[in-house]
Amino acid sequence: MGNINIYSEFTPNPNTLKFILGKNILERTYDFISIEEARSRSPLAVQLLEIPDIEGVYLGKSFITVTKGTSKDWSEYESKVEKVIQEFLDSGEKIVSEEGGVSSIAPESLDDAGKKILKIIEEEVRPAVAMDGGDIVFKGYEDGVVYLHMLGACSGCPSSSMTLKMGIEARLKEEVPEVKEVLQV
């Protein structure tokens, strides 16, 4: 992949650091919270999850967010994580070994309100939360309730419930009056 200049940035989640790669490395996004889950799908995620106390890896299109446990400060992990990413990308090995990735519910299975919700999530919400190293995936809409799955830096973030209620729920209610509530799944 050539020498990529990696730099890190803090996210709203104090346990998650975003490693920005400066170029797209994937077409889709992937989320891993265990070595077992990553083993058959992403050798890079496996290497990162093998670092003691690393609990999650989210592979974005042009960034990687890494979530640690709460026992130590980021200063103990940051250079190790960056080195693993750099060496892996320099090796030219495939980042993910199977297709798939994180995706929202299929639009053809939705009514008009659901299609409007999906459009807002895909075009407005996902790009905005990606800036903070996370992702939000639309998982369903039923009886006025929108179900979203939070990934990367958003998963376990102290401000995620406020983002969900004050930001996303308010925006969806503004455009889709049928929306009564947004819940995390």
Side-chain angles (χ1 to χ4, degrees):
M1 226 178 235
N3 206 347
I4 293 178
N5 188 19
I6 300 169
Y7 65 95
S8 61
E9 151 180 308
F10 288 102
T11 70
N13 183 343
N15 291 327
T16 302
L17 205 56
K18 178 180 179 182
F19 293 85
I20 299 168
L21 309 174
K23 68 186 251 181
N24 282 0
I25 57 165
L26 293 169
E27 292 295 316
R28 302 195 65 161
T29 61
Y30 299 82
D31 190 56
F32 302 100
I33 56 171
S34 73
I35 289 178
E36 295 72 32
E37 181 184 20
R39 200 166 309 282
S40 66
R41 301 184 68 206
S42 173
L44 173 56
V46 168
Q47 287 182 24
L48 291 168
L49 288 162
E50 286 175 337
I51 298 171
D53 205 35
I54 297 301
E55 298 180 346
V57 174
Y58 176 78
L59 303 173
K61 293 179 182 179
S62 63
F63 65 89
I64 297 169
T65 56
V66 177
T67 302
K68 67 173 183 64
T70 57
S71 64
K72 296 179 185 163
D73 188 69
W74 264 113
S75 61
E76 304 209 18
Y77 301 97
E78 188 174 359
S79 62
K80 172 83 171 150
V81 169
E82 192 171 308
K83 183 179 180 203
V84 167
I85 294 170
Q86 186 72 61
E87 287 177 358
F88 188 89
L89 295 177
D90 287 347
S91 78
E93 192 176 344
K94 216 171 167 190
I95 297 165
V96 290
S97 55
E98 72 174 49
E99 290 306 311
V102 174
S103 63
S104 293
I105 194 167
E108 53 276 358
S109 66
L110 299 168
D111 62 13
D112 287 343
K115 287 178 182 163
K116 279 186 197 172
I117 293 165
L118 178 62
K119 184 175 172 33
I120 293 166
I121 298 297
E122 293 295 319
E123 294 178 7
E124 296 177 31
V125 176
R126 288 185 82 187
V129 298
M131 292 174 66
D132 284 337
D135 199 359
I136 295 181
V137 181
F138 178 48
K139 289 299 186 181
Y141 170 71
E142 190 176 330
D143 299 326
V145 180
V146 177
Y147 298 94
L148 300 176
H149 184 63
M150 301 179 97
L151 305 162
C154 293
S155 180
C157 177
S159 61
S160 65
S161 60
M162 192 162 62
T163 299
L164 210 56
K165 291 293 180 187
M166 312 264 312
I168 300 168
E169 185 175 288
R171 176 70 181 116
L172 291 175
K173 284 179 174 179
E174 183 181 294
E175 291 294 323
V176 186
E178 300 90 333
V179 172
K180 296 179 181 104
E181 185 178 23
V182 174
L183 296 176
Q184 182 176 337
V185 294

